[in-house]
Amino acid sequence: TPLLKKDRERIHEGLLNGDVHITIGTHALIEDTVNFFNLGLVVIDEQHRFGVLQRSTLEHKSAQGLKPHTVVMSATPIPRTLAMILYCDLDISVIDELPKGRQPVETYAVGTGMRTRIYKFIAGEISAGHQAYIVCPLAENDDGKTQPDELMSAREYADSLKNTPLSGTRIAYIHGKMKPSEKDRIMTDFALHQIDVLVSTTVIEVGVNVPNATVMFIENAERFGLSQLHQLRGRVGRGQDKAYC
């Protein structure tokens, strides 16, 4: 829920006079109206969601003029960060253990000839009580003209599944152009296992946690960046069951 103006002003004042010792926030912390009495440590989670200049801005917000220690966290291989590590401009700490009970996500790159076989595999996972994501690069196709081997939107793809081995499953689609209330409703239904297969764009890339989902099927993977693919794969394997991407 967005903060009221008076609440934001109270927090801004506490940050500037030192009354607030720890603050957790979104990109709002980067705004010019936010400054800190003596900023000593900046921890940036989901590093790939912040630009280089945004991170630099945070590091220069101390009223004392001192540069704070900075920790950036990400599960994705960011080329610039990897280069900084190689040239010793950045220290690295690695969390190389999965949470207790988790298993590595088995990952495969396959051609379009495997699509029917994959649908059958997904149907098997659903029969076992699990759920699946199918990710498409398009939200909507404005002209409505799509050939079988061309890009399909999430809506069109969801409709096309009615003629596949997934025809008997509960299918829904979601994309970023929907109203927030509609997206929330669909994600709630998926979390409550009222949906078996969720066809989506990258709107599910971050912050979605449905441990019962065990399959992530990404169409047109060449249209996604390396960081996006890692984030998408991270939506499965969040429970005790074996997961596949």
Side-chain angles (χ1 to χ4, degrees):
T1 304
L3 290 172
L4 297 174
K5 183 179 179 181
K6 62 178 182 180
D7 293 326
R8 288 200 307 271
E9 291 175 347
R10 176 176 52 79
I11 294 171
H12 292 171
E13 183 180 351
L15 292 173
L16 192 56
N17 63 27
D19 287 346
V20 175
H21 298 148
I22 299 174
T23 181
I24 301 170
T26 63
H27 287 72
L29 290 174
I30 302 171
E31 295 175 359
D32 293 339
T33 53
V34 179
N35 288 287
F36 299 81
F37 172 70
N38 188 15
L39 186 60
L41 174 65
V42 176
V43 180
I44 300 173
D45 195 15
E46 303 291 0
Q47 178 199 2
H48 60 283
R49 287 285 180 174
F50 296 83
V52 175
L53 292 178
Q54 288 180 318
R55 298 198 297 270
S56 178
T57 298
L58 267 177
E59 294 170 6
H60 290 85
K61 281 188 169 289
S62 174
Q64 309 298 321
L66 300 176
K67 189 173 182 179
H69 297 290
T70 303
V71 177
V72 291
M73 303 174 65
S74 181
T76 64
I78 301 166
R80 180 179 180 275
T81 301
L82 292 174
M84 292 174 70
I85 293 167
L86 289 172
Y87 287 103
C88 301
D89 292 327
L90 192 68
D91 293 328
I92 182 172
S93 296
V94 178
I95 302 174
D96 59 2
E97 296 178 349
L98 293 170
K100 188 175 181 180
R102 297 259 189 108
Q103 303 179 55
V105 178
E106 289 193 20
T107 308
Y108 303 93
V110 298
T112 55
M114 292 280 285
R115 186 176 283 117
T116 299
R117 182 176 170 183
I118 292 170
Y119 289 156
K120 290 179 180 178
F121 176 79
I122 294 173
E125 286 292 297
I126 290 169
S127 295
H130 300 305
Q131 295 161 271
Y133 299 98
I134 297 179
V135 177
C136 303
L138 291 181
E140 294 282 0
N141 195 338
D142 294 332
D143 59 15
K145 300 176 182 178
T146 302
Q147 299 301 319
D149 293 328
E150 293 180 356
L151 293 178
M152 275 198 274
S153 69
R155 177 180 56 80
E156 290 172 318
Y157 199 106
D159 288 339
S160 75
L161 293 178
K162 297 173 183 176
N163 301 313
T164 73
L166 295 172
S167 60
T169 62
R170 298 171 294 179
I171 300 167
Y173 69 89
I174 186 173
H175 56 72
K177 294 182 179 180
M178 290 178 167
K179 294 179 180 178
S181 58
E182 190 174 6
K183 287 189 290 186
D184 289 344
R185 177 183 59 79
I186 293 170
M187 288 311 306
T188 298
D189 287 348
F190 189 64
L192 293 174
H193 200 176
Q194 295 172 1
I195 296 169
D196 297 316
V197 179
L198 182 61
V199 181
S200 173
T201 59
T202 55
V203 70
I204 59 148
E205 184 181 341
V206 171
V208 175
N209 183 33
V210 181
N212 192 51
T214 57
V215 181
M216 167 62 64
F217 181 33
I218 303 170
E219 287 277 10
N220 298 105
E222 75 282 354
R223 289 180 170 263
F224 298 96
L226 187 60
S227 295
Q228 285 182 307
L229 291 174
H230 274 262
Q231 285 292 326
L232 288 169
R233 181 174 62 176
R235 297 312 99 206
V236 294
R238 306 182 72 85
Q240 307 287 317
D241 301 297
K242 187 68 179 174
Y244 308 85
C245 182

